[in-house]
Amino acid sequence: MRPIQLPEPPSPKLGTPEIFEGGVYGVVRRAVVIGNGFPGSENQSIGLVRALGLADKHVLYRVTRPKGGMNEWLHWLPVSLHKKLDYIIRQICVLLIYRGRKTLPLPTENGGSAGLKCVLEADVQQIVTMARQTFETDGPILVVASGRDTISVASSIKRLASDTVFVVQIQHPRLHLNRFDLVITPKHDYYPLTREAQKQVPQFIHRWLTPREPPDRHVVLTTGALHQIDATALRNAASAWRDEFATLPKPILVVNIGGPTGNCRYGADLAKQLTTNLHSVLASCGSIRICFSNRTPEKVSNVITKELGDNPKVYIWDGQEPNPHMGHLAWADAFVVTADSVSMISEVCSTGKPAYIMGAERCTWKFSEFHKSLKERGVVRPFTGSENISESWSYPPLNDTAEAASRVHKALAERGWRLRP
């Protein structure tokens, strides 16, 4: 008789090693941020990485352009061509001034050039090699890039290491969106596709407008710009700046002033209008705090400082550290922001506090579409000088960064990957 084989008793469940669950190969534990040296762009990438829980697990690389002299006139060129042209110019100078000396090395497409030695320069081959060599031990890498100069670097990393990276490009890359795993961009970047926009330009220019096609499924549309402001950041800032702001007379009105752009043009005339309006609301304010950005023209800051600098209710930040921006976001009761900066407006509108915009009527093209969308949502109001700042109003805060992070989670899941718990 053959013995009956009884099933083995179930062994205690010790947990399946992560490597057999799709595991380090499918768990994103780290990120690479490709920046361009501009805070407005890099803040978006770092904000997304922070929202994904990788704030302490990312490395920042930068694509930097040569600066100084005629380089300021060459920023319209692709960054790789700009660097090579800068090399040629410097080489000619070396030949003319230091005849017979050793020539300078030719910078690679993503390598640094003279004057950029202190910057951690984005190197495609270095990042690709790291992604391949560490994949089995550390898993895939999330690559997040923002800004025009980062497009070629991010797309090259995707092309050369597609099995080991997930590439997110923030801000519309204009063409060939399939070079990235995900594109995150404001809705107003698609303004050129609207009938209203196409009426504003001659017919023969339509073929040159970008983007040329509506967003597909791997494009995430936001209302404004991504950033690092959320409830936790505001709570931390409120605590850190308590000594500075807790005793100030309320309500506190914070005024953030940027600088004119190609699609939002203004000068001293807007500054004079702004000071007139601020004088009109002084009676309903306990304190007014004014900050200029590094783009604010001197002619604008001079008008405001002259008109308001001696008023005891008004404090004008002198640009010295520490920057009170986070304290302002946490402690302000209301904001006035010039219309030129999508980033500043997006951060302010993430607080849910009253936000007044100055100069939106001077904005054109996609900037006008951005302001229109905010106004329709009840997120902002024009600053006219007739406001009673002590009367508060609110709205559902803009939550673009968290919503974009949720879409990244879904896109990773479709690929069979996930972020570390």
Side-chain angles (χ1 to χ4, degrees), residues 159-189:
R159 175 172 54 84
L160 297 172
S162 58
D163 293 336
T164 59
V165 297
F166 188 92
V167 178
V168 178
Q169 183 71 35
I170 301 174
Q171 297 182 346
H172 202 290
R174 302 298 173 228
L175 299 171
H176 308 303
L177 272 61
N178 58 358
R179 292 175 290 173
F180 313 96
D181 293 296
L182 206 64
V183 172
I184 301 174
T185 190
K187 295 175 185 176
H188 59 259
D189 271 354

Short mmCIF file of all heavy atoms in Angstrom, two decimals, residues 159-189:
data_model
loop_
_atom_site.label_atom_id
_atom_site.label_comp_id
_atom_site.label_asym_id
_atom_site.label_seq_id
_atom_site.Cartn_x
_atom_site.Cartn_y
_atom_site.Cartn_z
N ARG A 159 15.85 58.51 -23.50
CA ARG A 159 16.18 57.70 -24.69
C ARG A 159 17.24 56.65 -24.39
O ARG A 159 17.16 55.52 -24.86
CB ARG A 159 16.67 58.64 -25.80
CG ARG A 159 17.15 57.93 -27.06
CD ARG A 159 17.43 58.95 -28.15
NE ARG A 159 18.33 60.00 -27.72
CZ ARG A 159 19.66 59.89 -27.74
NH1 ARG A 159 20.22 58.77 -28.16
NH2 ARG A 159 20.42 60.89 -27.35
N LEU A 160 18.22 56.99 -23.56
CA LEU A 160 19.35 56.10 -23.32
C LEU A 160 19.13 55.14 -22.14
O LEU A 160 19.84 54.13 -22.04
CB LEU A 160 20.61 56.93 -23.07
CG LEU A 160 21.08 57.79 -24.24
CD1 LEU A 160 22.23 58.70 -23.81
CD2 LEU A 160 21.52 56.91 -25.41
N ALA A 161 18.18 55.45 -21.26
CA ALA A 161 17.99 54.61 -20.07
C ALA A 161 16.51 54.42 -19.77
O ALA A 161 16.09 54.46 -18.62
CB ALA A 161 18.71 55.23 -18.88
N SER A 162 15.71 54.19 -20.80
CA SER A 162 14.26 54.14 -20.63
C SER A 162 13.79 53.04 -19.69
O SER A 162 12.73 53.15 -19.07
CB SER A 162 13.58 53.98 -22.00
OG SER A 162 14.02 52.80 -22.64
N ASP A 163 14.57 51.95 -19.56
CA ASP A 163 14.17 50.84 -18.70
C ASP A 163 14.47 51.10 -17.22
O ASP A 163 14.00 50.34 -16.36
CB ASP A 163 14.87 49.55 -19.13
CG ASP A 163 14.42 49.07 -20.49
OD1 ASP A 163 13.30 49.44 -20.89
OD2 ASP A 163 15.18 48.34 -21.15
N THR A 164 15.23 52.12 -16.93
CA THR A 164 15.66 52.34 -15.54
C THR A 164 15.26 53.71 -15.00
O THR A 164 15.57 54.02 -13.86
CB THR A 164 17.19 52.19 -15.42
OG1 THR A 164 17.82 53.13 -16.29
CG2 THR A 164 17.63 50.79 -15.81
N VAL A 165 14.59 54.52 -15.81
CA VAL A 165 14.19 55.86 -15.36
C VAL A 165 12.74 56.12 -15.73
O VAL A 165 12.18 55.49 -16.63
CB VAL A 165 15.08 56.97 -15.97
CG1 VAL A 165 16.51 56.82 -15.53
CG2 VAL A 165 14.95 56.99 -17.48
N PHE A 166 12.13 57.06 -15.01
CA PHE A 166 10.82 57.59 -15.35
C PHE A 166 10.99 59.10 -15.41
O PHE A 166 11.32 59.74 -14.41
CB PHE A 166 9.77 57.20 -14.30
CG PHE A 166 8.36 57.56 -14.68
CD1 PHE A 166 7.57 56.65 -15.36
CD2 PHE A 166 7.84 58.82 -14.38
CE1 PHE A 166 6.27 56.97 -15.71
CE2 PHE A 166 6.55 59.15 -14.74
CZ PHE A 166 5.76 58.22 -15.41
N VAL A 167 10.79 59.68 -16.59
CA VAL A 167 11.15 61.09 -16.82
C VAL A 167 9.89 61.95 -16.88
O VAL A 167 8.99 61.72 -17.69
CB VAL A 167 11.96 61.25 -18.12
CG1 VAL A 167 12.28 62.72 -18.36
CG2 VAL A 167 13.24 60.43 -18.04
N VAL A 168 9.87 62.96 -16.02
CA VAL A 168 8.78 63.93 -15.98
C VAL A 168 9.34 65.29 -16.41
O VAL A 168 10.31 65.78 -15.83
CB VAL A 168 8.19 64.06 -14.56
CG1 VAL A 168 7.10 65.12 -14.53
CG2 VAL A 168 7.65 62.72 -14.08
N GLN A 169 8.74 65.88 -17.42
CA GLN A 169 9.14 67.22 -17.87
C GLN A 169 8.05 68.21 -17.46
O GLN A 169 6.89 68.06 -17.83
CB GLN A 169 9.33 67.26 -19.39
CG GLN A 169 9.82 68.59 -19.92
CD GLN A 169 11.27 68.89 -19.56
OE1 GLN A 169 12.08 67.97 -19.50
NE2 GLN A 169 11.58 70.15 -19.31
N ILE A 170 8.44 69.20 -16.67
CA ILE A 170 7.52 70.25 -16.24
C ILE A 170 7.70 71.45 -17.15
O ILE A 170 8.80 71.83 -17.49
CB ILE A 170 7.78 70.63 -14.77
CG1 ILE A 170 7.61 69.40 -13.87
CG2 ILE A 170 6.85 71.74 -14.32
CD1 ILE A 170 7.98 69.65 -12.42
N GLN A 171 6.58 72.06 -17.51
CA GLN A 171 6.49 73.11 -18.53
C GLN A 171 6.53 72.47 -19.91
O GLN A 171 7.28 71.53 -20.14
CB GLN A 171 7.58 74.17 -18.38
CG GLN A 171 7.51 74.94 -17.07
CD GLN A 171 8.57 76.01 -16.94
OE1 GLN A 171 9.54 76.06 -17.69
NE2 GLN A 171 8.41 76.88 -15.96
N HIS A 172 5.73 72.99 -20.79
CA HIS A 172 5.53 72.34 -22.09
C HIS A 172 6.80 72.38 -22.94
O HIS A 172 7.37 73.44 -23.17
CB HIS A 172 4.39 73.04 -22.84
CG HIS A 172 3.76 72.18 -23.88
ND1 HIS A 172 4.41 71.83 -25.04
CD2 HIS A 172 2.56 71.57 -23.92
CE1 HIS A 172 3.62 71.06 -25.77
NE2 HIS A 172 2.49 70.89 -25.11
N PRO A 173 7.26 71.21 -23.40
CA PRO A 173 8.48 71.15 -24.23
C PRO A 173 8.24 71.52 -25.69
O PRO A 173 9.14 71.39 -26.52
CB PRO A 173 8.93 69.70 -24.10
CG PRO A 173 7.66 68.95 -23.85
CD PRO A 173 6.77 69.86 -23.05
N ARG A 174 7.02 71.97 -26.00
CA ARG A 174 6.65 72.47 -27.33
C ARG A 174 6.47 71.37 -28.38
O ARG A 174 5.46 71.29 -29.02
CB ARG A 174 7.68 73.49 -27.84
CG ARG A 174 7.84 74.68 -26.92
CD ARG A 174 6.53 75.45 -26.79
NE ARG A 174 6.63 76.49 -25.77
CZ ARG A 174 5.72 76.67 -24.81
NH1 ARG A 174 4.69 75.87 -24.72
NH2 ARG A 174 5.84 77.63 -23.93
N LEU A 175 7.47 70.51 -28.57
CA LEU A 175 7.39 69.50 -29.62
C LEU A 175 7.79 68.13 -29.07
O LEU A 175 8.53 68.03 -28.10
CB LEU A 175 8.30 69.87 -30.79
CG LEU A 175 7.99 71.19 -31.51
CD1 LEU A 175 9.10 71.51 -32.50
CD2 LEU A 175 6.64 71.11 -32.22
N HIS A 176 7.29 67.07 -29.73
CA HIS A 176 7.70 65.69 -29.46
C HIS A 176 7.54 65.33 -27.99
O HIS A 176 8.49 64.99 -27.29
CB HIS A 176 9.16 65.47 -29.89
CG HIS A 176 9.44 65.90 -31.29
ND1 HIS A 176 8.75 65.40 -32.38
CD2 HIS A 176 10.34 66.80 -31.79
CE1 HIS A 176 9.21 65.96 -33.49
NE2 HIS A 176 10.17 66.82 -33.16
N LEU A 177 6.30 65.36 -27.53
CA LEU A 177 6.03 65.06 -26.13
C LEU A 177 6.33 63.60 -25.78
O LEU A 177 6.51 63.26 -24.61
CB LEU A 177 4.57 65.37 -25.80
CG LEU A 177 4.27 66.81 -25.36
CD1 LEU A 177 4.63 67.81 -26.42
CD2 LEU A 177 2.81 66.96 -24.96
N ASN A 178 6.39 62.74 -26.80
CA ASN A 178 6.68 61.33 -26.54
C ASN A 178 8.11 61.07 -26.09
O ASN A 178 8.49 59.94 -25.82
CB ASN A 178 6.35 60.49 -27.78
CG ASN A 178 7.14 60.92 -29.01
OD1 ASN A 178 7.91 61.89 -28.95
ND2 ASN A 178 6.95 60.22 -30.11
N ARG A 179 8.92 62.12 -26.00
CA ARG A 179 10.28 61.97 -25.48
C ARG A 179 10.28 61.80 -23.97
O ARG A 179 11.32 61.53 -23.38
CB ARG A 179 11.12 63.19 -25.85
CG ARG A 179 11.42 63.36 -27.32
CD ARG A 179 12.16 64.66 -27.58
NE ARG A 179 11.30 65.82 -27.36
CZ ARG A 179 11.73 67.08 -27.38
NH1 ARG A 179 13.03 67.33 -27.55
NH2 ARG A 179 10.90 68.08 -27.19
N PHE A 180 9.12 61.96 -23.32
CA PHE A 180 9.04 61.93 -21.86
C PHE A 180 7.95 60.95 -21.43
O PHE A 180 7.03 60.67 -22.18
CB PHE A 180 8.75 63.33 -21.31
CG PHE A 180 9.62 64.40 -21.91
CD1 PHE A 180 9.18 65.15 -22.99
CD2 PHE A 180 10.90 64.62 -21.43
CE1 PHE A 180 9.98 66.12 -23.56
CE2 PHE A 180 11.71 65.58 -22.00
CZ PHE A 180 11.26 66.33 -23.07
N ASP A 181 8.06 60.45 -20.21
CA ASP A 181 7.02 59.57 -19.68
C ASP A 181 5.79 60.35 -19.26
O ASP A 181 4.67 59.85 -19.33
CB ASP A 181 7.57 58.78 -18.48
CG ASP A 181 8.65 57.80 -18.88
OD1 ASP A 181 8.34 56.86 -19.64
OD2 ASP A 181 9.81 57.97 -18.46
N LEU A 182 6.00 61.58 -18.80
CA LEU A 182 4.89 62.42 -18.37
C LEU A 182 5.30 63.88 -18.56
O LEU A 182 6.45 64.25 -18.32
CB LEU A 182 4.58 62.16 -16.89
CG LEU A 182 3.16 62.43 -16.39
CD1 LEU A 182 2.16 61.51 -17.08
CD2 LEU A 182 3.08 62.25 -14.88
N VAL A 183 4.35 64.69 -19.01
CA VAL A 183 4.56 66.14 -19.16
C VAL A 183 3.54 66.84 -18.28
O VAL A 183 2.35 66.54 -18.34
CB VAL A 183 4.41 66.59 -20.61
CG1 VAL A 183 4.44 68.11 -20.71
CG2 VAL A 183 5.50 65.98 -21.49
N ILE A 184 4.01 67.75 -17.42
CA ILE A 184 3.13 68.51 -16.54
C ILE A 184 3.23 69.98 -16.93
O ILE A 184 4.32 70.56 -16.89
CB ILE A 184 3.52 68.33 -15.06
CG1 ILE A 184 3.46 66.85 -14.67
CG2 ILE A 184 2.62 69.16 -14.15
CD1 ILE A 184 3.97 66.56 -13.26
N THR A 185 2.11 70.56 -17.31
CA THR A 185 2.15 71.92 -17.84
C THR A 185 0.83 72.64 -17.55
O THR A 185 -0.23 72.00 -17.46
CB THR A 185 2.41 71.89 -19.36
OG1 THR A 185 2.69 73.20 -19.83
CG2 THR A 185 1.24 71.30 -20.12
N PRO A 186 0.85 73.97 -17.38
CA PRO A 186 -0.40 74.70 -17.15
C PRO A 186 -1.31 74.65 -18.38
O PRO A 186 -0.85 74.58 -19.52
CB PRO A 186 0.08 76.14 -16.89
CG PRO A 186 1.50 76.01 -16.49
CD PRO A 186 2.03 74.84 -17.25
N LYS A 187 -2.60 74.74 -18.13
CA LYS A 187 -3.58 74.73 -19.22
C LYS A 187 -3.34 75.88 -20.18
O LYS A 187 -3.56 75.74 -21.39
CB LYS A 187 -5.00 74.83 -18.64
CG LYS A 187 -5.42 73.64 -17.80
CD LYS A 187 -6.78 73.89 -17.17
CE LYS A 187 -7.15 72.76 -16.23
NZ LYS A 187 -8.44 73.03 -15.52
N HIS A 188 -2.87 77.02 -19.66
CA HIS A 188 -2.73 78.18 -20.54
C HIS A 188 -1.59 78.01 -21.54
O HIS A 188 -1.47 78.80 -22.48
CB HIS A 188 -2.56 79.47 -19.74
CG HIS A 188 -1.38 79.50 -18.82
ND1 HIS A 188 -1.49 79.28 -17.47
CD2 HIS A 188 -0.07 79.73 -19.05
CE1 HIS A 188 -0.31 79.39 -16.90
NE2 HIS A 188 0.57 79.65 -17.85
N ASP A 189 -0.74 76.99 -21.38
CA ASP A 189 0.26 76.72 -22.41
C ASP A 189 -0.38 76.27 -23.72
O ASP A 189 0.26 76.31 -24.78
CB ASP A 189 1.26 75.66 -21.93
CG ASP A 189 2.44 76.27 -21.19
OD1 ASP A 189 2.53 77.51 -21.16
OD2 ASP A 189 3.25 75.52 -20.64
#
